């Protein structure tokens, strides 16, 4: 298999390559010589192309596209002409104008763009994810014993370096734990929509790197969207994975509480509402000593929370490995496990939040 890394604009393709290198020949293109040098130092065996056109002119089974947001529509248009599978590293759009340009493209069913957290084992194996079709049908997660037998994760506050944590279903349900055959309380076994009252996602990811001007385009609201978009997508993605794309933003706010030199914000909040009345909240904490993500589901008689952390193997624990496995399945001919309709809904929410914050 031959996979192209088209652009190294963020840290993600460097991480993606660790999984890809085990399965495919890699060809890379990146116009910034320093970024390219760093990548080839880590992966000395890769082939280097001089342009995106050169990358796409040869045989390529799949493309991981990671260019600054303003360049995504034009670059994706060229990739689509090849018919190859494409993974667009998040976010695929960071402004209304960029999203409208994406809407004009003939995006086929082998285009994937998602937060990697959707493929994190802790999230995919959470009891309240059991009936979420987008998760249950993900090719990368199906029939993977290491994932399907992983213990459920916790409704406690984020825990650092804990190898395995127990899940508690509040409100009379049984405590469950262990990797095999754990019995889950009745609330967790019901349809994910059933009696859900509200959901919440909390994103803890420090944005201090931008405070000194690193990748300034990411911190610029009209270009990369800033913290509200680039970090907020993680929380919105997880909630849309659970409850579907029939969602709208009803409010958003951001502030600079610590990194005063940022062009965007370092904290933010979004209020969401699904068409059946379920409400959601996304909290974005860009000032944080550790990286973690939490999803909480509130029902009348229970509150369940799953915490996603990198642990001893962040590539697997945060979903990078699962995302690339799904992409490789697409390169082999499978459709994207995340319908573009869901991706479009996520992008609309975060861009709407950017416009209101």
């Amino acid at each position: 298999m031959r996979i192209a890394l088209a652009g190294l604009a963020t840290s993600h393709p460097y991480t993606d390559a660790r999984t890809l290198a085990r399965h495919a020949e890699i060809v890379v293109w990146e116009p910034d010589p320093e970024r390219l040098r760093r990548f080839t130092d880590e992966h000395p065996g890769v082939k280097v192309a001089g342009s995106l056109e050169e990358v796409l002119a040869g045989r390529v089974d799949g493309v991981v596209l990671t260019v600054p947001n303003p360049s995504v529509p034009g670059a994706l248009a060229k990739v689509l002409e090849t018919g190859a599978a494409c993974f667009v590293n998040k976010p695929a759009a960071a402004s209304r104008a960029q999203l409208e340009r994406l809407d004009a493209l003939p995006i086929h069913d082998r285009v994937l763009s998602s937060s990697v957290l959707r493929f994190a084992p802790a999230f995919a194996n959470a009891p309240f994810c059991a009936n979420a079709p987008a998760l249950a049908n993900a090719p990368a997660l199906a029939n993977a014993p290491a994932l399907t037998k992983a213990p459920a994760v916790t409704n406690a506050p984020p825990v650092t370096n804990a190898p395995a944590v127990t899940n508690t279903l509040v409100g009379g349900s049984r405590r469950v734990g262990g990797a095999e055959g754990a019995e889950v309380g009745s609330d967790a076994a019901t349809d994910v929509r059933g009696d859900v009252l509200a959901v919440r996602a909390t994103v803890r990811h420090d944005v201090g790197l931008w405070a000194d001007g690193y990748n300034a385009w990411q911190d610029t609201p009209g270009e990369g969207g800033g913290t509200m978009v680039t970090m907020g997508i993680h929380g919105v993605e997880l909630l849309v994975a659970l409850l579907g794309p029939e969602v709208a933003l009803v409010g958003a706010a951001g502030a600079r509480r610590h990194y005063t030199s940022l062009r965007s914000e370092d904290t933010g909040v979004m209020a969401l509402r699904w068409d059946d009345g379920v409400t959601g909240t996304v909290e974005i904490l860009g000032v944080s000593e550790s990286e973690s993500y939490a999803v909480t589901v509130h029902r009348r008689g229970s509150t369940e929370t799953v915490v996603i952390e990198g642990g001893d193997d962040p590539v697997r624990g945060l979903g990078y490995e699962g995302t690339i496995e799904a992409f490789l399945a697409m390169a082999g001919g499978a459709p994207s496990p995340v319908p573009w309709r869901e991706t479009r809904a996520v992008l609309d929410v975060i861009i709407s939040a950017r416009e209101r914050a």
Side-chain angles (χ1 to χ4, degrees), residues 216-340:
W217 63 269
Q218 284 188 292
D219 184 34
T220 303
E223 295 182 32
T227 300
M228 188 69 73
V229 167
T230 303
M231 300 307 167
I233 189 174
H234 293 302
V236 177
E237 183 86 44
L238 294 173
L239 298 186
V240 168
L242 279 178
L243 297 180
E246 293 79 18
V247 62
L249 182 90
V250 294
R256 279 187 291 272
R257 299 289 298 157
H258 181 76
Y259 297 120
T260 55
S261 60
L262 289 179
R263 303 179 184 196
S264 62
E265 56 282 301
D266 59 20
T267 56
V269 64
M270 303 180 200
L272 285 61
R273 187 183 186 278
W274 276 260
D275 61 354
D276 62 354
V278 175
T279 59
T281 307
V282 177
E283 302 169 303
I284 306 155
L285 303 172
V287 183
S288 181
E289 292 182 357
S290 61
E291 181 181 355
S292 68
Y293 309 86
V295 177
T296 299
V297 176
H298 295 291
R299 295 186 173 90
R300 181 175 183 176
S302 68
T303 293
E304 305 151 60
T305 298
V306 62
V307 177
I308 304 166
E309 296 178 292
D312 294 333
D313 184 359
V315 174
R316 182 172 181 270
L318 294 177
Y320 290 96
E321 185 177 75
T323 303
I324 292 302
E325 287 173 356
F327 165 67
L328 288 170
M330 289 163 51
S336 167
V338 182
W340 186 258

Side-chain angles (χ1 to χ4, degrees), residues 126-131 167-174 176 183-197 297-304:
F128 52 66
C129 291
N131 295 308
N167 187 61
T168 303
L169 304 181
V170 180
S173 299
R174 288 186 294 274
V176 296
E183 192 175 3
V184 180
S186 57
D187 280 351
T190 59
D191 181 2
V192 71
R193 292 307 279 264
D195 59 349
V196 172
L197 300 173
V297 176
H298 295 291
R299 295 186 173 90
R300 181 175 183 176
S302 68
T303 293
E304 305 151 60

Side-chain angles (χ1 to χ4, degrees), residues 25 60 101 130 144 147 171 207 247 340:
E25 175 191 355
V60 61
R101 290 178 65 197
L147 302 185
V207 297
V247 62
W340 186 258

